[in-house]
């Protein structure tokens, strides 16, 4: 193990020396005057196709992607038929945006959300029914109220479960049935939600995702307000032959080393499942409990059915996850493939959770059993 990490370190050292020698710093200045901007620290970086008109020139953005900064320093953006939303994150490579209500009552905005006339559509929709109940009794049955729509006289619930709809129909007033642009597709029906999680939207035009993924700089063509072009794709720094040399001389052994490391890590995780270690005591104990009731893991088709997503630059994950994979105990990096378990809304490195699920039929974090009867999948 020690020799391996030593050789890895020296390998990466050599690799970086090599890169610094052969890659000249990119020359952004000469190409364009457009630069990213922010409303405030920690707020999302705004660049093409988005633009803050008070800070960036007109050719630096695309029509319909204008963003403003509120006095509260929030990054705001207006949907033509639905008013202002705060931008929580932008993934330029995947062409996705996460928005919320600047006044902290997203459900109210969802009730009047109308994306027509905007450049945006939902990535996933899930239909929710809103009920207004004169009794708050349902909280006792585990239903989560929409607090900001409720009053002392009534309680509002939002559900996507046919069962709960059936239960509430008759005793409560149905307010509306609306499609909600959720962040992740849920296979299971959601019994109740306060719908405070960001909405996830995507845009089709302008198409800058490919350019962004290649590290290029997307922008409007000279004298055009609709045609875009990709500039500064980093490749001219290294001659073609040298790139092949790097790919085969460095990339392939590097890949093998990385795969070796992954195997090492996953091997360690496997051994934890048998012999608990204090470092992952919680994880290990969940394994033991789940092993007690279900020794076998899931079948390949079920494992394959869980939604995968390649992380973009913003590394945005479904809540309530943090930035670390609970199985590999390593942070997510852009371009890594994450697999989510909709039953508990947790995400993991795809290769780690696949191995886990082959051995365990439960979510490593919340221990929910994942054996689900067929035919309960919601259309998404
Ligand atoms: C900007 O902030 C002020 C003060 O919080 C708020 O009253 C106003 O509604 C905000 N503007 C928008 C468009 O949300
Ligand atoms: C907004 O930004 C200004 C500086 O740009 C700062 O002084 C102020 O405290 C910020 N306000 C909030 C609510 O964060
Ligand atoms: C959304 O807005 C458009 C234009 O104002 C309107 O024609 C359409 O009926 C609205 N859709 C809904 C579902 O309200
Ligand atoms: C709530 O109910 C009380 C008494 O039942 C009534 O006086 C009050 O006007 C109601 N409030 C609202 C907002 O409906
Ligand atoms: C852009 O438009 C200006 C003024 O209309 C013109 O002088 C210039 O040649 C145009 N440039 C290109 C690249 O078409």
């Amino acid at each position: 193990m020690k020799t391996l990490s030593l050789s890895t370190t020296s390998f990466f050292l050599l690799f970086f020396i090599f890169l610094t020698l052969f890659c000249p710093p990119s020359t952004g200045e000469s190409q364009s005057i457009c630069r990213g901007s922010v409303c405030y620290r920690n707020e999302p970086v705004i660049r093409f196709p988005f633009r803050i008109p008070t800070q960036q020139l007109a050719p630096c953005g695309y029509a319909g992607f204008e963003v403003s900064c509120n006095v509260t320093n929030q990054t705001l953006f207006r949907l033509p038929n639905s008013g202002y939303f705060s931008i929580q994150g932008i993934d330029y490579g995947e062409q996705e945006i996460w928005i919320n209500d600047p006044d902290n009552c997203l459900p109210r905005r969802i009730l009047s959300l109308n994306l027509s006339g905007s450049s945006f559509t939902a990535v996933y929709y899930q239909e929710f029914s809103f009920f207004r109940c004169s009794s708050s009794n349902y909280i006792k049955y585990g239903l989560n109220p929409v607090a900001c729509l409720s009053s002392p006289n009534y309680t509002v619930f939002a559900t996507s479960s046919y069962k709960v709809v059936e239960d509430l129909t008759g005793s409560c007033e149905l307010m509306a049935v609306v499609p909600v642009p959720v962040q992740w597709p849920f296979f299971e029906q959601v019994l109740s939600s306060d719908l405070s999680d960001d909405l996830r939207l995507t845009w089709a035009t302008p198409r800058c995702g490919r350019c962004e993924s290649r590290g290029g700089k997307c922008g409007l063509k000279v004298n055009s307000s609709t045609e875009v072009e990709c500039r500064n794709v980093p490749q001219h720094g290294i001659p073609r032959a040298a790139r092949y040399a790097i790919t085969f001389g460095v990339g392939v052994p590097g890949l093998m080393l990385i795969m070796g490391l992954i195997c090492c890590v996953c091997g360690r995780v496997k051994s934890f499942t048998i012999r608990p270690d204090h470092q992952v005591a919680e994880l290990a104990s969940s394994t033991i409990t789940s092993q007690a009731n279900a020794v076998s893991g899931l079948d390949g088709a079920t494992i394959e059915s869980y939604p995968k997503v390649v992380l973009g630059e913003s590394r945005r994950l479904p809540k309530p996850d943090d930035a670390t994979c609970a199985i590999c105990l390593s942070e997510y990096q852009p371009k890594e493939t994450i697999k989510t378990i909709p039953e508990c809304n947790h995400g993991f490195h795809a290769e780690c959770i696949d191995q886990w699920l082959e051995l365990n039929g439960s979510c490593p974090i919340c221990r929910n059993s994942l054996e689900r009867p067929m035919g309960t999948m919601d259309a998404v």
Side-chain angles (χ1 to χ4, degrees):
M1 195 58 199
K2 206 166 231 158
T3 47
L4 177 65
S5 53
L6 204 67
S7 66
T8 316
T9 318
S10 47
F11 166 74
F12 278 112
L13 210 65
L14 276 175
F15 185 56
F16 281 119
I17 291 170
F18 189 75
L19 277 187
T20 19
L21 280 179
F22 284 85
C23 297
S26 76
T27 51
E29 266 85 355
S30 60
Q31 288 282 346
S32 166
I33 44 164
C34 296
R35 289 174 183 283
S37 191
V38 291
C39 282
Y40 196 52
R41 289 190 307 238
N42 299 339
E43 286 291 299
V45 174
I46 301 302
R47 54 188 168 84
F48 190 88
F50 293 90
R51 175 175 79 100
I52 307 175
T54 52
Q55 300 178 16
Q56 292 157 314
L57 297 170
C60 296
Y62 201 84
F65 287 77
E66 289 81 12
V67 162
S68 58
C69 302
N70 198 357
V71 288
T72 55
N73 297 335
Q74 282 174 306
T75 312
L76 296 182
F77 134 95
R78 200 177 77 83
L79 287 171
N81 287 312
S82 310
Y84 284 94
F85 285 85
S86 60
I87 297 184
Q88 303 294 323
I90 302 175
D91 190 324
Y92 290 93
E94 298 291 321
Q95 299 190 184
E96 286 177 3
I97 179 175
W98 285 262
I99 60 172
N100 212 311
D101 178 25
D103 296 321
N104 295 320
C105 189
L106 191 58
R108 177 178 299 133
R109 307 297 303 280
I110 287 171
L111 282 172
S112 61
L113 186 69
N114 184 343
L115 294 177
S116 74
S118 81
S119 311
F120 298 85
T121 55
V123 181
Y124 305 110
Y125 269 124
Q126 184 160 27
E127 205 158 77
F128 276 83
S129 302
F130 284 71
F131 283 94
R132 188 187 284 130
C133 305
S134 55
S135 146
S136 61
N137 252 346
Y138 298 97
I139 296 174
K140 270 193 271 176
Y141 303 120
L143 292 196
N144 199 7
V146 180
C148 68
L149 290 182
S150 302
S151 82
N153 289 6
Y154 55 81
T155 309
V156 172
F157 297 99
T159 178
S160 77
S161 151
Y162 302 123
K163 173 89 176 49
V164 175
V165 167
E166 225 166 69
D167 289 349
L168 297 188
T169 304
S171 51
C172 301
E173 178 197 341
L174 177 66
M175 298 165 67
V177 182
V178 289
V180 178
V182 290
Q183 292 192 31
W184 300 91
F186 297 96
F187 290 110
E188 301 272 296
Q189 301 165 1
V190 178
L191 291 187
S192 65
S193 169
D194 65 357
L195 293 176
S196 59
D197 270 359
D198 303 342
L199 305 181
R200 179 182 181 186
L201 303 178
T202 181
W203 69 90
T205 323
R207 262 182 202 290
C208 284
R210 225 176 94 75
C211 178
E212 292 280 343
S213 317
R214 287 158 63 205
K217 188 170 179 183
C218 196
L220 287 174
K221 281 189 180 167
V222 178
N223 284 3
S224 169
S225 62
T226 52
E227 275 185 278
V228 294
E229 63 182 4
C230 189
R231 292 178 293 246
N232 290 10
V233 176
Q235 56 172 297
H236 40 258
I238 309 170
R240 184 173 288 259
R243 261 186 289 136
Y244 283 127
I246 291 172
T247 312
F248 289 105
V250 178
V252 172
L255 199 69
M256 283 165 70
L257 259 172
I258 289 166
M259 279 165 64
L261 279 178
I262 289 172
C263 286
C264 246
V265 170
C266 288
R268 261 197 297 172
V269 169
K270 247 187 226 165
S271 67
F272 284 145
T273 64
I274 300 159
R275 194 161 46 82
D277 184 291
H278 63 277
Q279 273 183 313
V280 280
E282 210 190 331
L283 198 61
S285 68
S286 77
T287 321
I288 289 166
T289 36
S290 68
Q291 272 175 352
N293 33 36
V295 182
S296 63
L298 302 180
D299 58 278
T302 309
I303 295 177
E304 216 24 64
S305 75
Y306 290 121
K308 274 186 287 199
V309 60
V310 177
L311 287 187
E313 285 304 323
S314 69
R315 296 188 285 162
R316 267 193 94 90
L317 285 165
K319 290 174 182 175
D321 275 310
D322 59 14
T324 309
C325 172
I327 301 181
C328 322
L329 305 176
S330 67
E331 270 200 34
Y332 300 120
Q333 301 301 330
K335 309 278 174 276
E336 284 185 325
T337 304
I338 305 302
K339 192 171 251 190
T340 50
I341 302 182
E343 277 88 341
C344 60
N345 211 3
H346 286 128
F348 307 92
H349 282 123
E351 70 265 30
C352 299
I353 190 66
D354 281 0
Q355 296 209 6
W356 172 276
L357 291 177
E358 280 164 20
L359 301 169
N360 305 277
S362 67
C363 169
I365 294 183
C366 55
R367 306 170 195 193
N368 280 356
S369 168
L370 303 176
E371 319 273 358
R372 56 166 184 258
M374 293 314 285
T376 56
M377 291 194 189
D378 252 6
V380 273

